[in-house]
Amino acid sequence: MSSVAVLTQESFAEHRSGLKGEEIRGGVTEDEAYIPTYLEAFPPLPEKGTPGEKSGEPSGAWSRIRPIKASVITQVFHVPLEERRYKDNSQFGEGEEAKVCLDIMQKTGAHIELSLAKDQGLSIMVTGKLDSVMKARKEIVARLQTQASATVIIPKEHHRFVIGKNGEKLQELELKTATKIAIPRPDDPSANIRITGTKEGIEKARHEILLISAEQDKRAVERLSLEKAFHPFIAGAYNRLVQELSQETGARISIPPPSLHKDEIVITGEKEAVAMAIARIRGIYEEKKRKTTTISVEVKKSQHKYIIGPKGNTLQEIMESTGVSVEMPQLDSPSETIILRGEPDKLGPALTQVYAKAKSVMVVEVTAPAWLHRFIIGKKGQNISRITQQLPKVHIEFADGEERISLEGPTEEVEQARAQIQEMIKDLMCRMDYTEVTIDQRFHRHLIGKNGANINRIKEQYKVSVRIPQDTERSGLVRIEGDPQGVQLARRELIEMAQRMENERTKDMIVDQKFHRTIIGQKGEKIKEVRDKFPEVIINFPDPSQKSDIVQLRGPKNEVEKCAKFLQKMIADLIENSFSISVPIFKQFHKNIIGKGGANIKKIREETNTKIDLPTENSNSEMIIITGKKANCEAARDRILTIQRDLANIKESEVAIPAKLHNSLIGSKGCLVRSVMEECGGVHIHFPAEGSGSDKVTIRGPAGEVEKARKQLLQLAEEKQVNNFTAELQAKPEYHKFLIGRGGANIRRVRDRTGARIIFPSPDEPEQELITIVGKEEAVRLAQRELEILVKNLDDVIEGSMVVDVRHHRHFVCRRGQVLRELAEEYGGVAVSFPRTGAHSDRVTLKGAKDCVEAAKRRIQEIIEDLETQVAVEVAIPQRHHRAVMGPKGSRIQQITRDYEVQIKFPEREETAGSEAAPQENGDACLDGEFVPRKCDIIAISGRAEKCELARTALLALVPITVDVEVPYDLHRYIIGQKGSGIRKMMEGYEVNIWVPQPEQQSDVIKITGQVTNVERARQGLLERVKELQAEQEDRALRSFKVTLSVHPKYHPKIIGRKGAVISQIRKDYDVNVQFPDKGDEQQDMIVISGYERNAEEARAAIGQLVAELQDMVSEDVLLDHRVHARIIGARGKAIRKLMEEFKVDIRFPQPGSDDPDRVSVSGLPENVDNAIDHLLNLEEEYMLTVTESETMAAYMKPPSRSGGGGVTDEDGRGATKGFVVRDAPWNVPDGSKVRIPVQSSLLILITYT
């Protein structure tokens, strides 16, 4: 049992005064220096207390614990209508009140809810921590409620009570009343206190301040110093006497608790009440001092707690029944003396009660192995709770890590509990067993498994309990308890699991976090493939929130290395594939680049191995972004540009413009160059990167537009060099299209007349009303005046009308008024109103700017003329081709209607259309011959006559045909590809249907069906594929040449090299496959090389030369002190790898726990081995100096041996220099004891020595 001593300043001073002289006389001669004690050398900090208080022992830690209060509170208060600062009810929840509340919530962290009462008052609910709620309430009142002010006058000397200690009282008062209280400074003679806030808050604050002042007027405080020993008589049993005194006199009496060594009793209240209470207390004190006496008794320390009782109730019982005060020593004091104080005739009965209470409880100990404790306790305490329920007065305590159980309680019940526990122990010892096995701590989490899967399986299978220590315990001891047979089986399985994991290796790979998601893949598909390839390797990615680049691999060493190599290759490919370029392609050609069902874009992606992103349909962007390897990206770009060139007359031209003018030609946010591109039919103009120094500007687009853009750029460049002037003009965005005119006609006229360039804002620019004019100053001024006149005319709104035949109304209002919307956009937002259906009116109203209205009328008249000249044309196409003609989602038909401005209507589908004739083959169209059209085959086209004919021709061009292609039968399976991937790729790429005959037909004919152009492209592509397959067959035959080479198996690892580096280089250099024999093969020395004949022979010669070099190698052992091995190897083997590369040798160090830890093996050519050994010996000599020096320093730094009494003795027995020595230090306390060293009045450090 360890003893505890509490040293206070008083007891230490007393102890020192009694022993100091004796020690000097007995142990130290007068001419020797005095050795100070630990507390003299390192005195404790002074006790913290109020002036005038005597320092005492610190009160117990439990007495300082405050009750827990709710951390979140809610307050609701009301702001009347007349006091609301913001009274606009129309926008409740959106106005200033809501903004103010949001600001307050951000500042204070409280949650605020506003609601409007029936009387238009404001109800506010504030939720949060008390401090936050009070601050928020103060802010709300100050900012949402109208403020008033008032003055209250109290005596100047009372101001400090309103302020409180460090201003705490004033802050509390301001928060409580939600007001601002201004108190004059001490040097200010004024006694006026000013309060600002709401009327309600001012009244509350005024009331509180007057209460504080009134209380100070009538209160008195007295302190009465009486001996501590007589305090219990003044307080009485259970503090009843002092409570009666307080009630009778009206004064508040504060008696310090027994644990606090203060003899001062504080009485507060009204002056008369205080005086009366002092008189009564003095009377009790004088009487008890006169009548009482004391006796001292010795009682074992362990029995003191029974005398004290729960919360000191037993002492109060003795006080109540006998009138005797029992003074107990502190629980942490070694003293066993108890003092009884009272009247002589009462001391006897009190002493009897003390002894009775001390012996009322029995303590016994039961011996039980520590591992059985939890089985005695039972699951969730079931076993032990049965005993405690039967014997509730018995307290059972299990000593942690010790083989004993303590029972405490009444004698009879303790005996019963002991008998029951001993019976349980006997039963458990008969049917239970345990064993302990040491397993390296790093394997513990793998033994447990994911969510405890492994360890739970073992527990259920063998009916045992397995205890694996926590990581913080730093222990490898695993304990198994349960049925003896199950314990042995579980032990065997755990050991086997640990042995398997011994062979495992963990490797950390640094992988940039941005690649993690790509490696994992969508829904983990890619990483699943890697895990399937390396099933024994566990791959762990860090959590995205950790921002870590470390990917951990764990598994068998070889598999981990292979997996790491595979991942490194994958990452290298990702880095290489992250190159990106942007290609501008005219918007109308995006659909052609995508192809049918995405066939074209898929083909480009697959063949160039790139990622291609196109802008969305509703986007104005024309940029296509290509990502992948640089060469692949450029190839994809060329293919996309080729598609564009094939579809239109696209030309690319370069113009030389000085680099210094590039920024001015591009304009602010690209506005100037964008205006040129729009004006020249949407050509693409590309300027070189800034800082490149290149003068070449690339223009791409239709031939005529490219030349036009070229001239404009050169003209602009010339203007910029000669003279440049800019002006700005404001105009509503809806006027812009009208100002530009159809096809830019209006703005072109202004530019031709003035010579200035007019730039309109793009849709994504913030300033939509700003029009920029650029050019010579005179031209800019002239263009500005013309535009201002146009804009002014547009601002004059008029209303006009025109007559439109009723039969044409539907054309304007159908498709949700598409035509009307286009008119409004094109003609400055003019509003066109047609009469309602059934009104029988032909008058149409137009409202807007005069010029816009007139232009809109002209446009409507043009549309009517087109409608009146419309014709209907029929084209007969077999119904089975209608779906192919329409295209996906009708895209082809929509394109034709847009291109030729016609309407196309397909007939209703006829269900009995299955008996139609076979499709035309090899381009033999037969629409007018054998084909007899039916109603379901007729497609109607309406529009202008010439447009209808063009549309008819376009429709007929979409009718599919079929051609036959001769392909050798043995190549069919290669064309089809794995699971049909090859044939599917061709069909998607060429937008055709390809039919391959069944194997049993043994036919060489493959049929291709589709549009004429697509079928021809597919036929050419198929023939090219046949050529490729025939070339591959020939190449495969050439690559199948094999040669063999006999090499002793002991050289195989050297030929393979570290991580396969050597053999991989040979395979790469000679483009061959090198196969080593498997473990079970009969010919273990045979290496097979396959590839082209010449390459295979060269590879065999290279391996033969390598073997010859290996045969010349020798291996020698050298003894190097094991203490320097780590330094020679270096961090992560970096130093030893460098050394092996430098001397061209292989160096092997012994494994940990080896019988000969100093033996190091060096292999290589004789000369290299000798040089390497010399270098290693030199390194050993150099490092041993440092090791010896470190060990010597460590020996000097060791603490002194206890057996030596704290001194250090040299070999001759002479006392070494003691240095600085102190007595009674904590490290000199006898074993097993404890000492408390006071560091501060409120902090004790407990030091234990065992």
Side-chain angles (χ1 to χ4, degrees), residues 34-58:
Y34 169 66
I35 298 175
T37 65
Y38 178 80
L39 286 174
E40 284 178 320
F42 307 103
L45 295 173
E47 294 289 334
K48 184 179 179 182
T50 56
E53 289 183 347
K54 294 182 180 179
S55 297
E57 290 182 4

Side-chain angles (χ1 to χ4, degrees), residues 21 81 233 372 384 444 601 734 847 903 956 1019 1075 1246:
L81 175 62
F233 298 110
L372 273 184
I384 207 68
H444 286 185
I601 201 74
E734 55 265 29
K847 189 175 182 179
Q903 298 295 320
L956 290 173
R1019 191 176 73 82
Q1075 189 68 38
L1246 181 64

